[in-house]
């Protein structure tokens, strides 16, 4: 899987929009970009996945520029419950492959 | 929504003892995984499993570890002789296999088993 780089931590306040950017300069043609969220003492939870341009679901939006060398997870109007670690993964999950998590971004939301 | 379930939620064992961690993946999934997370550290890949055999494993997954799918529903991780450094959260995950509509299906994780080796 392509190596990813994310900020180690971010802080924000309730009601704000939070954007977490992930760099993946070596992304391959077939790679997808997948984001997971992890709360303390829980397993990672899938948030959103995309290949190019923009993807939006009920939780977040994912912006992917044309060169696909980076992506931005956007969380609209965060609340205290969005405090978690967010992981960006790049690759193809089409087989039982070695899917590696990086260190993630620890997002802290304050009142 | 179907989910991956893991038992027990917490297991305490003495060093040198064998432990078996159990997982029930989502019923129509075909790819299975074990990960571990030492307190305060990142999620580490251990092993992936498909068609009743290991597909990939990490350097952590040495001879002390084994996985098995003994029946149509359970997926187990066995640690033969536990060490203090095996203390961690162990997460099971599953994803749909080939032939599904989603070529790049994400992983579905259970809530983990906290293993404490004393």
């Amino acid at each position: 899987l392509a190596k990813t780089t994310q900020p180690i931590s971010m802080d924000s306040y309730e009601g704000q929009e939070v954007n977490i950017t992930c760099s993946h300069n070596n992304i391959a043609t077939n790679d997808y970009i997948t984001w997971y969220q992890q709360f303390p003492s829980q397993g990672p939870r899938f948030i959103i996945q995309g290949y190019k341009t923009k993807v939006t679901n009920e939780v977040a939006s994912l912006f992917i520029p044309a060169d696909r060398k980076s992506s931005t997870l956007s969380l609209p109007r965060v609340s205290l419950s969005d405090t978690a670690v967010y992981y960006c993964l790049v690759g193809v999950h089409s087989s039982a492959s070695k899917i590696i998590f990086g260190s993630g971004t620890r997002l802290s939301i304050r009142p | 929504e179907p989910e991956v379930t893991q038992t027990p939620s917490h297991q305490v064992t003495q060093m040198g003892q064998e432990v078996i961690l159990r997982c029930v993946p989502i019923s129509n999934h075909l790819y299975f995984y074990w990960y571990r997370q030492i307190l305060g550290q990142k999620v580490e890949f251990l092993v992936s499993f498909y068609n009743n055999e290991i597909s990939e494993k990490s350097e952590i997954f040495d001879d002390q570890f084994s996985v098995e799918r003994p029946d149509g529903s359970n997926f187990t991780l066995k640690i033969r002789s536990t060490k203090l450094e095996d203390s961690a959260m162990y997460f099971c995950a599953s994803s749909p296999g080939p032939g599904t509509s989603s070529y790049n299906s994400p992983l579905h994780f259970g809530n983990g088993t906290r293993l404490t080796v004393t």
Side-chain angles (χ1 to χ4, degrees), chain A residues 32 36 38 49 93-94 96 99, chain B residues 31 35 37 48 55 104 106-107:
Chain A
Y32 281 73
Y36 291 84
Q38 186 183 27
Q49 183 180 84
H93 292 18
S94 62
I99 299 170
Chain B
Y31 297 146
Y35 287 79
Q37 187 172 33
S48 60
S55 297
N104 199 48
L107 304 182

Side-chain angles (χ1 to χ4, degrees), chain A residues 5-109:
Chain A
T5 303
Q6 306 174 231
I8 293 173
S9 63
M10 292 181 67
D11 295 324
S12 189
Y13 293 91
E14 280 192 295
Q16 298 295 303
E17 177 183 83
V18 171
N19 296 310
I20 305 174
T21 296
C22 178
S23 298
H24 29 80
N25 291 318
N26 297 323
I27 190 168
T29 304
N30 293 332
D31 286 345
Y32 281 73
I33 300 156
T34 309
W35 285 81
Y36 291 84
Q37 174 192 55
Q38 186 183 27
F39 297 116
S41 299
Q42 293 187 26
R45 183 176 74 101
F46 168 77
I47 302 176
I48 198 166
Q49 183 180 84
Y51 182 81
K52 62 181 180 180
T53 62
K54 177 184 173 183
V55 179
T56 297
N57 62 22
E58 64 277 6
V59 176
S61 294
L62 179 59
F63 298 93
I64 306 168
D67 67 4
R68 303 198 330 120
K69 293 184 183 299
S70 67
S71 58
T72 299
L73 175 72
S74 181
L75 305 173
R77 299 183 59 79
V78 293
S79 64
L80 295 176
S81 62
D82 292 315
T83 294
V85 179
Y86 292 82
Y87 297 96
C88 163
L89 277 70
V90 173
V92 179
H93 292 18
S94 62
S95 63
S97 53
K98 187 184 286 188
I99 299 170
I100 305 297
F101 282 73
S103 299
T105 297
R106 186 173 300 277
L107 176 65
S108 298
I109 306 299

